[in-house]
Amino acid sequence: MFENLCTLPLSADLFAQAVHPTEPLLGVGLSSGHVQCFRLPSADRSGEDDADISVLSDGKGTIDTVWRTRRHKGSCRTLAFSNDGSALYSAGTDYLLKHFSPTTGQVASKIAIPSTKSIPDSPSLLHVLSPQTLLLACDSGALHLLDLRDGALATSKPQQTHFPHDDFVSSITPLPPSNESTSGYSKQWISTGGTTLAVTDLRRGVLVRSDDQEDELLCTAFIEGMGPKKNRENGVMAVGTGTGVLTLWDKGAWDDQQDRVVVDPGKGGGESLDCIVQIPGGIARGKKVVVGVGDGSLRIVDLVKREVESALRHDDIEAVVSLGFDCQGRMISGGGQTVKIWEESPLRGEATDDSDSDQSDDADDSDDDSDDDSDEVDNKANGSKAKRRSSKESDDSDSDSDNKRAGRSKKKRRKGKANIDLGPHGAHGVLRFKGLD
């Protein structure tokens, strides 16, 4: 389904990755504290004759570094673009949260990461919920809601702080806004941490926490258009676990999982499923997701059929820690010290077209051959009919002559039989000889 267009080497291990919502921009956060922004080549090159060829695989497209800087003294733990892509946020182990321009890298504002204890708290995840709210999760399990109404980080004091899990928050996925929503932005989100899943509301706090799953929950993706038989449009949450199993949860039934798909089988549990992203509908038919596995592979899972469709390879050793699709439908995977860009493979469609044309050509040729063969068959048939007629006539003449000969022989036989004197048992008895009575 996908082919690798290029591999982008990095100067240090990748800790975070963010994709711009409307432009081909890619931001990466590294273990060295550096934050770097790349501009991917545009796929729209209608002015060139070979516009249908991949801009990366044809050797003419280049990935440019827009800017690079050491944003944090420790490592950069997480990155997130704003909803419109006008701002980029990063948080690091130096306990600072920074807001800067994605095009220039210039810092607009920064704050210290809030802490609920006497010791500083390291960040684990950032997510921009709306233009007014930024979610910041920390290693202590705290989930802070920061105000962005002024367009900048004004104060370190959060609006609210929740503790949905006993362990650090490993993933945040917003639920679709309700039909009554006037802003169009979600006010509820799903989070995973440790072995539980939780639903949190912007105003009411933590609503539901699931049962202990006895398995670490690492990543989430909400899939619309799936659900129970009586409510197909309800939606399903796909959750990756630490033992290679993808669990499925019906929206509204958050107590426990409803189904599971074994992505990486293995004795005692497979490799961890560290990240997940849904394949856009314009690329894949049905409901499919790509899962980043701890062994460096990518697994494409068909959620309707509940099976792994195919596998790709990002790295032979390092785990895949981040996945995403850019505004032009290219998949971007990150892990170790490399970022790979993938594009939908056109070979499958071309192969089917070629095979169809070849089959049609073969069919035409077979039709022509069959016409020629039919003419030959007709000629042979006419010739065979003539031969049959002549053979019949010769057979008739031969049969007439044979009948005449048979009649003459029968007459001779009859004349001969009349002189034979048979015994008392007739033709099956002993012949009678004169003088032996």
Side-chain angles (χ1 to χ4, degrees):
M1 177 177 287
F2 293 96
E3 62 175 350
N4 180 228
L5 300 182
C6 73
T7 299
L8 180 64
L10 303 174
S11 60
D13 288 338
L14 178 72
F15 273 16
Q17 172 182 299
V19 182
H20 196 282
T22 58
E23 296 184 20
L25 290 177
L26 171 66
V28 295
L30 307 180
S31 60
S32 60
H34 288 85
V35 175
Q36 193 168 357
C37 187
F38 299 98
R39 178 172 292 276
L40 307 180
S42 175
D44 184 13
R45 302 189 309 167
S46 57
E48 299 185 8
D49 296 336
D50 56 348
D52 58 337
I53 302 177
S54 167
V55 296
L56 297 180
S57 60
D58 63 3
K60 297 181 180 179
T62 58
I63 299 178
D64 299 324
T65 299
V66 181
W67 51 265
R68 170 186 166 89
T69 183
R70 190 179 183 190
R71 186 103 297 165
H72 299 279
K73 293 182 179 180
S75 61
C76 177
R77 297 283 296 273
T78 178
L79 277 176
F81 275 101
S82 61
N83 297 106
D84 58 359
S86 61
L88 187 59
Y89 302 91
S90 70
T93 54
D94 55 358
Y95 313 112
L96 291 177
L97 173 61
K98 297 186 177 182
H99 157 227
F100 46 93
S101 169
T103 56
T104 63
Q106 184 176 0
V107 176
S109 61
K110 62 180 179 180
I111 61 171
I113 293 176
S115 178
T116 58
K117 300 179 180 180
S118 58
I119 58 175
D121 200 359
S122 297
S124 61
L125 197 61
L126 280 173
H127 183 83
V128 180
L129 187 67
S130 69
Q132 292 81 29
T133 305
L134 173 66
L135 303 179
L136 170 64
C138 298
D139 286 348
S140 64
L143 181 61
H144 305 291
L145 278 67
L146 302 176
D147 189 5
L148 296 177
R149 293 181 183 178
D150 296 332
L153 300 170
T155 176
S156 296
K157 185 178 181 180
Q159 288 182 321
Q160 300 180 45
T161 298
H162 305 294
F163 290 88
H165 308 282
D166 297 332
D167 204 346
F168 72 94
V169 178
S170 56
S171 71
I172 295 176
T173 300
L175 292 173
S178 62
N179 297 328
E180 293 78 16
S181 176
T182 57
S183 63
Y185 294 102
S186 176
K187 294 180 176 59
Q188 292 183 353
W189 61 90
I190 300 294
S191 63
T192 57
T195 59
T196 59
L197 177 146
V199 182
T200 307
D201 186 87
L202 183 63
R203 297 184 179 89
R204 294 180 290 172
V206 180
L207 301 178
V208 181
R209 181 186 290 185
S210 72
D211 298 334
D212 188 351
Q213 300 300 301
E214 299 180 355
D215 194 358
E216 192 175 9
L217 307 183
L218 299 177
C219 57
T220 52
F222 186 77
I223 313 298
E224 298 183 5
M226 293 186 66
K229 293 182 178 179
K230 296 182 180 180
N231 190 8
R232 291 297 187 189
E233 300 302 321
N234 182 60
V236 169
M237 183 67 70
V239 181
T241 67
T243 57
V245 178
L246 186 67
T247 59
L248 302 179
W249 304 61
D250 289 335
K251 179 184 175 184
W254 303 117
D255 292 338
D256 203 353
Q257 57 185 271
Q258 305 299 322
D259 206 348
R260 48 197 286 131
V261 181
V262 179
V263 177
D264 188 65
K267 294 182 180 179
E271 293 285 345
S272 61
L273 309 182
D274 297 323
C275 53
I276 184 174
V277 65
Q278 183 180 7
I279 302 177
I283 298 177
R285 295 180 180 179
K287 305 297 182 181
K288 299 180 182 180
V289 295
V290 182
V291 182
V293 189
D295 62 357
S297 65
L298 303 171
R299 312 289 175 89
I300 300 176
V301 182
D302 190 328
L303 298 181
V304 177
K305 297 180 180 179
R306 302 290 199 269
E307 64 181 13
V308 178
E309 184 179 89
S310 60
L312 304 170
R313 176 60 59 180
H314 173 84
D315 193 88
D316 294 331
I317 301 176
E318 299 293 338
V320 182
V321 299
S322 183
L323 280 171
F325 281 87
D326 70 354
C327 59
Q328 297 180 353
R330 294 172 294 201
M331 183 174 69
I332 302 174
S333 63
Q337 295 187 7
T338 58
V339 169
K340 286 190 175 182
I341 302 174
W342 309 77
E343 191 176 52
E344 183 184 9
S345 176
L347 298 178
R348 180 177 299 179
E350 293 177 358
T352 53
D353 296 341
D354 294 341
S355 61
D356 294 340
S357 62
D358 292 340
Q359 291 176 0
S360 61
D361 294 339
D362 294 340
D364 296 336
D365 295 339
S366 62
D367 292 339
D368 297 338
D369 295 340
S370 62
D371 294 338
D372 297 338
D373 294 340
S374 62
D375 294 338
E376 293 178 359
V377 170
D378 293 338
N379 294 332
K380 291 180 180 179
N382 294 331
S384 61
K385 287 180 181 178
K387 291 180 180 179
R388 288 175 184 174
R389 291 175 183 172
S390 60
S391 62
K392 282 183 180 179
E393 293 175 356
S394 61
D395 292 340
D396 293 340
S397 60
D398 293 338
S399 61
D400 293 339
S401 60
D402 292 339
N403 291 333
K404 291 178 181 179
R405 293 174 184 173
R408 293 174 184 176
S409 62
K410 285 181 180 179
K411 289 179 180 179
K412 292 179 180 179
R413 288 175 185 173
R414 289 174 183 174
K415 291 179 181 179
K417 287 181 181 179
N419 298 328
I420 298 174
D421 189 6
L422 298 177
H425 299 288
H428 300 284
V430 180
L431 293 177
R432 177 183 295 174
F433 295 96
K434 294 179 180 182
L436 296 179
D437 297 336

